[in-house]
Amino acid sequence: MTMRELILMLFLICAVRAKGQYQDPSPVRLHTAFETLSFLPDSTNQQLFFEAFPNTGESFSLLYEKNPQLIGTSLDLHTEGFEHIHAFWNLTWVPDSTFIEKAVRISCGLRYGLGASWYWQWHLRDALRQPARAQGILVEVARLRRGHQMQFWSLVWSTSNSDDRDLLFEWLRTYMLKHVPQTVEISDLAFRFFHGHTNPRPFPDTPVP
């Protein structure tokens, strides 16, 4: 990196931090926040990127799903979606409760597809495989109205990768029966809608926190 590029990047960091108070999901602000985070992933830049990231599934789809009318404009972020999603799920300085609340809110407004929503679902399911993070997500989902819970589980289970999907379903079902039993019926129903069965087979050796 040349000295000129370094000076410009430092100026960019200052500009993003100065605008961090605004909460609208601006494509330009989000792009700038990501570039700044990539250059300096400190706590301040992580928080600014988190705040710039979409707050709902609808905003997420508008920004990251391919729209032919926006290609080539400053509003087109579909080519950056995978990098942004990866960065979001790897934030380390955002409090867990704040992060999980936003992740669940976005998930409830998404429909499974082959673009950004597919990659979001992949990260969501990966998080659900991690006991510590899964616990926080399941508690947050259990607070939602039943309709929103159905939206969440519909995104989680709308995939055809049966082996991976069934293992996750069985582990989560065992956990939910113990800790948040009120969510089991809705998760089962969403799974059945997509795959026609539930076949819960909890593994006796699977540690359930």
Side-chain angles (χ1 to χ4, degrees):
M1 177 178 290
T2 66
M3 181 60 69
R4 180 174 179 273
E5 290 172 332
L6 178 61
I7 293 173
L8 288 174
M9 182 58 70
L10 291 174
F11 175 80
L12 188 62
I13 291 172
C14 293
V16 171
R17 289 183 173 179
K19 295 181 179 180
Q21 58 186 340
Y22 299 106
Q23 301 300 316
D24 59 307
S26 161
V28 175
R29 177 181 170 227
L30 182 52
H31 172 81
T32 304
F34 174 73
E35 292 296 319
T36 308
L37 175 68
S38 300
F39 178 74
L40 182 63
D42 64 2
S43 59
T44 300
N45 288 335
Q46 287 199 27
Q47 185 64 38
L48 290 173
F49 176 74
F50 178 82
E51 292 172 357
F53 201 82
N55 285 310
T56 65
E58 291 78 8
S59 297
F60 177 99
S61 297
L62 183 64
L63 289 170
Y64 292 129
E65 298 297 351
K66 189 173 182 179
N67 185 337
Q69 297 179 338
L70 298 180
I71 293 177
T73 72
S74 62
L75 302 178
D76 180 26
L77 292 182
H78 87 273
T79 58
E80 302 176 32
F82 280 38
E83 291 182 313
H84 288 196
I85 295 166
H86 179 79
F88 178 87
W89 282 98
N90 285 278
L91 294 173
T92 56
W93 287 93
V94 178
D96 283 346
S97 59
T98 304
F99 178 89
I100 287 171
E101 181 182 2
K102 186 167 189 171
V104 169
R105 188 189 314 126
I106 293 171
S107 300
C108 288
L110 287 183
R111 294 181 60 186
Y112 178 76
L114 298 179
S117 61
W118 169 84
Y119 196 52
W120 178 270
Q121 186 214 46
W122 186 91
H123 276 283
L124 174 61
R125 292 174 58 191
D126 185 61
L128 287 169
R129 294 186 189 96
Q130 305 168 31
R133 181 156 275 188
Q135 180 178 7
I137 293 173
L138 294 174
V139 169
E140 180 64 27
V141 171
R143 295 193 182 108
L144 302 176
R145 294 182 177 180
R146 290 171 63 86
H148 292 147
Q149 290 186 41
M150 176 60 76
Q151 289 178 315
F152 177 85
W153 289 116
S154 293
L155 177 68
V156 173
W157 300 133
S158 54
T159 176
S160 59
N161 187 350
S162 59
D163 292 339
D164 176 73
R165 177 200 67 215
D166 289 353
L167 288 172
L168 178 62
F169 174 76
E170 291 162 357
W171 186 88
L172 286 176
R173 195 175 195 278
T174 302
Y175 181 93
M176 289 189 290
L177 283 169
K178 182 177 180 181
H179 296 281
V180 281
Q182 68 273 27
T183 67
V184 174
E185 178 187 0
I186 299 175
S187 174
D188 282 0
L189 189 58
F191 192 95
R192 192 177 299 115
F193 277 159
F194 284 100
H195 310 297
H197 66 90
T198 52
N199 288 337
R201 303 186 315 272
F203 299 116
D205 330 304
T206 303
V208 177

